[in-house]
Amino acid sequence: MRLRDCRLVIDGCSLYFRLYFNSGLDQARGGDYDTFVVLVRQFFAALSECSVQPFVVLDGGMDQTDKKFRTLQERAQSKIREANALSRGSHGCVLPLLVCEVFKQVLSELGIPLVQCISEADFEIASLAKHWGCPVLTNDSDFYIFDLKGGYLPFSFFQWNNISGKATERYIPARNFTVNRFCSHFNHMNKQLLPLFAVVIGNDYTPAKITEVFFSRVEFERVPSGRKYGRSSSRVEGFLLWLSQFTSPGDALDEVLEILSEQRKGTLRTQLSAGMQDYQLPHSSSLAQYFSSPQPALPDAQGLPAALVSQPEWLLRMVASGRL
């Protein structure tokens, strides 16, 4: 697509990771912040040149339910290994400690609208994009599952440093993924089956054991010949074609549970259903109100953990504005 003259919801964490790691900036000696600042400014200047209005949403703290704790633990251990490798002159990817702070400072200087969520931002980003009907820019594979009218722009195909078009019609070349187009490739499957696909194939919340047990027992039809994929991709494609035979998520979930044949089927049903619910977006987003008010209203207090509901308004405002 040719991205121009529209709103764009941006996953802030994906953006600063991408800008830092894809530019060959120093990781081994504490960070190359001055060059990073130049990159951030260039990125938002490119959006401005194409009349794209950015709205940046950042992750906050850990989820109070600790449902992602194991994943966070594994990432932290991986980061330690990579830092150790870097310190010995080997290869590794470690984001310097102050990149997020520098990123927020530059956005503040540029006057770019920004909100920091209480915990993980994916759901809020998707809800806001759905509310406005505009695209999302991120690198998070969960956005292949959210049903967004404006679509998902993966960073890999977002050519912000390759602006094209006449002076009055400048645009950024990008690729736009939509759930409807995706499902049409798999026998026009019901798009409501995608959340079940996500929780079974393995996201940050599904225990790896469930995924392995399911794929060790299920039998798929042969994937059409002529498509050259590795084991992981053929597993994905086989599972999507298998799911396309079901008309509703309920029927497909029953069959998944039958294949897993766990003794505690009720517990597993609850677990998988809760994971699927994470992809069901509301009709409106509290962040739309936050971004449209001259004096931003606080993001929806209903979603706050109990410990934060009683906190003073100034503290919650500072969290939301990324200053705390």
Side-chain angles (χ1 to χ4, degrees):
M1 69 178 296
R2 297 179 172 188
L3 188 79
R4 63 180 299 274
D5 198 21
C6 66
R7 286 171 169 159
L8 178 65
V9 179
I10 299 174
D11 176 349
C13 296
S14 268
L15 174 57
Y16 64 68
F17 266 88
R18 186 88 186 174
L19 288 179
Y20 202 94
F21 286 140
N22 277 33
S23 307
L25 301 184
D26 171 65
Q27 299 169 43
R29 286 169 294 276
D32 200 352
Y33 298 118
D34 52 352
T35 313
F36 175 65
V37 167
V38 172
L39 273 172
V40 175
R41 288 180 174 276
Q42 287 173 345
F43 177 85
F44 286 102
L47 296 187
S48 177
E49 194 176 336
C50 302
S51 302
V52 174
Q53 293 176 266
F55 295 86
V56 178
V57 186
L58 285 165
D59 287 333
M62 286 173 62
D63 189 286
Q64 60 165 340
T65 64
D66 270 349
K67 61 184 178 181
K68 197 174 174 177
F69 182 70
R70 188 177 294 278
T71 301
L72 293 170
Q73 202 173 27
E74 287 167 0
R75 285 183 188 168
Q77 288 165 346
S78 169
K79 204 182 289 185
I80 291 167
R81 287 192 295 272
E82 297 218 21
N84 183 46
L86 269 175
S87 74
R88 295 167 187 274
S90 187
H91 180 72
C93 283
V94 177
L95 195 72
L97 290 174
L98 298 177
V99 166
C100 181
E101 293 308 314
V102 171
F103 178 74
K104 287 189 281 190
Q105 283 179 16
V106 178
L107 264 59
S108 176
E109 289 167 13
L110 295 175
I112 304 293
L114 161 86
V115 68
Q116 180 175 262
C117 297
I118 293 299
S119 56
E120 197 171 45
D122 291 1
F123 190 81
E124 300 296 345
I125 290 169
S127 300
L128 180 61
K130 182 184 177 186
H131 184 112
W132 281 340
C134 72
V136 164
L137 178 66
T138 179
N139 232 24
D140 191 317
S141 57
D142 273 326
F143 285 83
Y144 289 119
I145 307 300
F146 288 118
D147 185 13
L148 301 175
K149 184 181 175 185
Y152 157 36
L153 311 180
F155 268 119
S156 320
F157 304 104
F158 190 74
Q159 301 177 45
W160 65 271
N161 47 8
N162 185 27
I163 293 176
S164 307
K166 301 173 190 170
T168 53
E169 295 182 353
R170 306 289 273 162
Y171 67 86
I172 295 172
R175 286 194 184 180
N176 189 353
F177 172 92
T178 62
V179 159
N180 287 341
R181 285 282 301 273
F182 180 69
C183 289
S184 71
H185 289 283
F186 298 95
N187 303 328
H188 297 276
M189 69 181 282
N190 179 353
K191 61 187 177 184
Q192 292 177 337
L193 289 159
L194 285 180
L196 177 61
F197 163 75
V199 296
V200 174
I201 205 80
N203 60 9
D204 289 338
Y205 309 115
T206 308
K209 186 186 172 191
I210 291 177
T211 303
E212 289 310 314
V213 169
F214 177 78
F215 284 102
S216 68
R217 293 177 181 173
V218 71
E219 285 188 21
F220 298 140
E221 290 181 32
R222 284 182 62 82
V223 172
S225 58
R227 302 195 188 190
K228 295 180 180 177
Y229 294 118
R231 176 176 171 270
S232 175
S233 297
S234 60
R235 170 192 271 194
V236 166
E237 187 172 16
F239 185 31
L240 284 162
L241 291 169
W242 181 84
L243 277 174
S244 69
Q245 68 186 300
F246 298 97
T247 53
S248 76
D251 292 341
L253 178 58
D254 287 342
E255 188 60 30
V256 167
L257 291 169
E258 199 60 43
I259 289 166
L260 288 167
S261 63
E262 293 279 327
Q263 292 178 343
R264 296 178 299 157
K265 204 174 278 189
T267 308
L268 197 54
R269 179 185 292 275
T270 304
Q271 189 176 4
L272 293 178
S273 298
M276 291 164 66
Q277 200 58 40
D278 286 340
Y279 297 99
Q280 307 304 320
L281 299 174
H283 293 297
S284 62
S285 163
S286 60
L287 291 188
Q289 175 77 23
Y290 179 85
F291 280 127
S292 61
S293 308
Q295 168 63 21
L298 282 169
D300 190 6
Q302 289 178 335
L304 290 177
L308 285 179
V309 172
S310 59
Q311 298 304 316
E313 190 176 301
W314 65 262
L315 186 144
L316 296 176
R317 280 193 188 283
M318 286 186 74
V319 170
S321 63
R323 286 177 293 164
L324 194 64

